[in-house]
Amino acid sequence: MLTGRLCWVPLLLALGVGSGSGGGGGSRRRRLLAAKVNKHKPWIETSYHGVITENNDTVILDPPLVALDKDAPVPFAGEICAFKIHGQELPFEAVVLNKTSGEGRLRAKSPIDCELQKEYTFIIQAYDCGAGPRETAWKKSHKAVVHIQVKDVNEFAPTFKEPAYKAVVTEGKIYDSILQVEAVDEDCSPQYSQICNYEIVTTDVPFAIDRNGNIRNTEKLSYDKQRQYEILVTAYDCGQKPAAQDTLVQVDVKPVCKPGWQDWTKRIEYQPGSGSVPLFPSIHLETCDGAVSSIQITTELQTNYIGKGCDRETYSERSLQKLCGASSGIIDLLPSPTAATNWTAGLLVDSSEMIFKFDGRQGAKIPDGIVPKNLTDQFTITMWMKHGPSPGVRAEKETILCNSDKTEMNRHHYALYVHNCRLVFLLRKDFDQADTFRPAEFHWKLDQICDKEWHYYVINVEFPVVTLYMDGATYEPYLVTNDWPIHPSHIAMQLTVGACWQGGEVTKPRFAQFFHGSLASLTIRPGKMESQKVISCLQACKEGLDINSLESLGQGIKYHFNPSQSVLVMEGDDIGNINRALQKVSYINSRQFPTAGVRRLRVSSKVQCFGEDVCISVPDVDAYVMVLQAIEPQISLRGTDRLWRPAAQFESARGVTLFPDIKIVSTFAKAETPGEPKATAPKSAVLEEMLHNLDFCDILVLGGDLDPRQECLELNHSELHQRHLDATNSTAGYSIYGVGSMSRYEQVLHHIRYRNWHPASLESRRFRIKCSELNGRYTSNEFNLEVSILHEVRMSDKEHVSHLIVQPPFLQSVHHPESRSSIQRSSVVPSIATVVIIISVCMLVFVVAMGVYRVRIAHQHFTQETEAAKEAEMDWDDSALTITVNPMEKHEEPGHGEEETEEEEEEEVEEDVSSSSSDSEDSEEEEEEEGIGRGRHGQSGARQAQLEWDDSALPY
């Protein structure tokens, strides 16, 4: 072909091609020549099919891109100069590889992404080079269609449509498909965009998965064995590329549908002071699609094993009576054993609650004088009783309370006993002018008498009517029998508890008709009946069931509480409303210090269905409330523990106030918050003060009882009554009782006074205070107080006192210039004074009869050395001896003598000598205990000698 093209050169030269001569004629000749030379259009295939791999620029065409021109081998006219693509913004271009051969190449101008476009179709044309190098008179081929397919690269990994899947299955079943997982791939080709396989990554699980992502179980699942499975699943595309991240499949196993309550917690913790705490905030009823028409729910709080049936205040019976507003005059027949109430000392007792247990072999005699013989036509008997079925085939009477003849006969004047699970009250009136039948025995038949549970019984007697209150409910006797009145006699009567005294008709008097069970708070109140309000208060529980927000209960919900709020019954016909109602049931305990421990809960259900003979059965819910231990308070008594008062104050009508500044403080140890740095402060820094009540404070006399002929403790009853407290007084001390705040007890203690009509024989008196909360559950420290007589020193010579006692205060405030010789004399004189003082003390001890004479001698010696003594007092004063003036004649409290003026000290010096001595001794003791050494041991000895010399000057 090259040779052929070269052959055309001479011909072109001969025709003058390329010659510039000839002007316009030459141009025409060229056009004419071009028309004769470039006769044909280039030729290409009519269609092309190409493939390009994404992210590559080379397109492989079939057939290859080649253009032919019949004008060959003529230069330019027979050559291919370009391929042009027709279309907008196509990412391809065509280039000529060889003009002569017409070979070209199709390539991408930018990276091709199969995910954006899988195929391209466009038009391409070939252009020859025209008639000459100036590219004039080009000719183009026909249009060819190019179809290019983008070849995909497996650049994307499969991803799951959901990050996690959940399913719920019922135990005991084999499922064909529990759930289906699905993954996708962003690649564009079917080979790489399709998911060809799924696989469970987690091993040892009873599940399998197929190619479509369906998960099934390979064995029957058990709710008891495992309630939840978590498995990981991955996916593979058809290029075997795994998923970038596995998906989590959670399969919950539920038991075979059984009707019952769901989503409740067996243990509910209760922190004291939390108020009302919901018991089942998320509970709901599963009916298994049963057609339920109505449901009745009974929630029961079982507290019969705590105290006396539930958590009640554990104050003493008399404190509870006072707290509930009961009338005075109550007589406790089962008090705590003390020296004054020792008849219960031999009984079995639960000390925490003062519960007395009778095993059928015990009885207690109430001493004479405790209960009046005549109870009048109105009186009240109260008690807590826990009693079971009577032992034996034919039960005997079990006596709770009995008043019978002490000797000779065996008549029962009044008695309270249990017989065959019946409560019987016997009351035999004395004979009077009307000798007729009268009501004598009152019988009540109640299931609660023998149910082994605690119940509160009140028998109100308004003869001839007798009414029984049990747990606040009223019961009339089902049987009343009459009897003749008892004829009067001079036989003494014996009141007993737990058995009946048989004093006659037997060889030896003994107990009979023993009681089997437990009793507490057995009281009798002569001449008064108790009101319904007080009865309800005395038996009220401090814990129980409650409903949060009664207004929010659904429509159609009916509810009912029993009197103690331990049983709640709710009824409704809508399951949703019943669920919400039960979620609002809560537990409440209003005690500040509740009894810690377990309270059992039971929820029972009765279901009715629509027109079905067989309805679903709902199992009971058994749970419990754990009442946590309350913070225990530390009760502290603080105040002055040593008092000195003059004898005149002991003899006065008001006496000596014993506890003028006592403080009662209760604290508790605050728990450290987790994460807090450990405190470096002392222990007191982690104590916080708390407020609560007290129920008694006892002031005990130490060192022997009070002698009522010359001393006593006194307290105005108005101080008690206005604070709703009571008190008992004896030679052993003073007992203040009643439920009241700590501040109330403080105020009462501030008014306790001690009087002594003969204080001369009194050295000192010691007292001890101890307070309690909850009948001794929490007790204070023992605060001890010692009271001593402040003796007065009466001097016969005021001038002598003036020298030794009065002058030092003046010397402290007025300083005279001293010569060196006078200072030297002052250092010698104290030794002479010390010798004289020691001689005076010795003479006082061994020669009492010569005391006055020795005092006068000592006075004469000191009169001669008056000037020297004045100088000596400067050194004596430096020994830190404190001279205190006693202001008892004008003020009740000590310690104000130092505020007196110097003139008052001169006028009252005779009354203040002993006070000064006492205060000086006390000052010395405090200095020795605190270890304040000042290098003046010799001067301390001199001070002691001075004080002893003052004692020797007492007049006889």
Side-chain angles (χ1 to χ4, degrees), residues 601-620:
L601 278 170
R602 172 163 292 178
V603 179
S604 56
S605 309
K606 293 181 180 179
V607 180
Q608 293 183 353
C609 297
F610 289 102
E612 295 184 10
D613 296 335
V614 179
C615 195
I616 62 174
S617 176
V618 179
D620 293 345

Side-chain angles (χ1 to χ4, degrees), residues 71 142 197 345 359 461 545 568 573 803 902 941:
D71 293 327
H142 60 269
N197 191 25
D359 56 3
V461 178
L545 299 174
L568 169 62
D573 53 9
H803 285 310
E902 296 172 355

Side-chain angles (χ1 to χ4, degrees), residues 829-931:
V829 173
S831 61
I832 300 173
T834 301
V835 172
V836 175
I837 292 171
I838 293 175
I839 294 174
S840 300
V841 173
C842 295
M843 295 304 293
L844 173 64
V845 175
F846 296 103
V847 190
V848 177
M850 300 295 292
V852 176
Y853 176 75
R854 295 297 183 186
V855 171
R856 295 183 180 277
I857 295 297
H859 172 65
Q860 292 177 1
H861 279 262
F862 276 87
T863 301
Q864 295 173 0
E865 300 174 357
T866 299
E867 297 299 327
K870 291 180 180 179
E871 300 171 358
E873 287 305 319
M874 288 295 293
D875 289 345
W876 179 76
D877 180 66
D878 290 341
S879 63
L881 176 63
T882 302
I883 306 302
T884 305
V885 178
N886 181 15
M888 286 300 174
E889 295 298 327
K890 294 184 179 181
H891 301 282
E892 291 182 5
E893 296 187 5
H896 298 286
E898 296 176 358
E899 298 175 4
E900 296 289 340
T901 60
E902 296 172 355
E903 291 80 0
E904 292 175 16
E905 291 175 351
E906 290 179 341
E907 292 174 0
E908 299 177 4
V909 66
E910 292 183 358
E911 297 177 1
D912 297 343
V913 173
S914 60
S915 174
S916 302
S917 301
S918 176
D919 291 344
S920 299
E921 292 174 356
D922 187 59
S923 176
E924 290 176 8
E925 292 176 358
E926 292 178 357
E927 288 179 357
E928 292 176 2
E929 292 175 357
E930 296 175 2

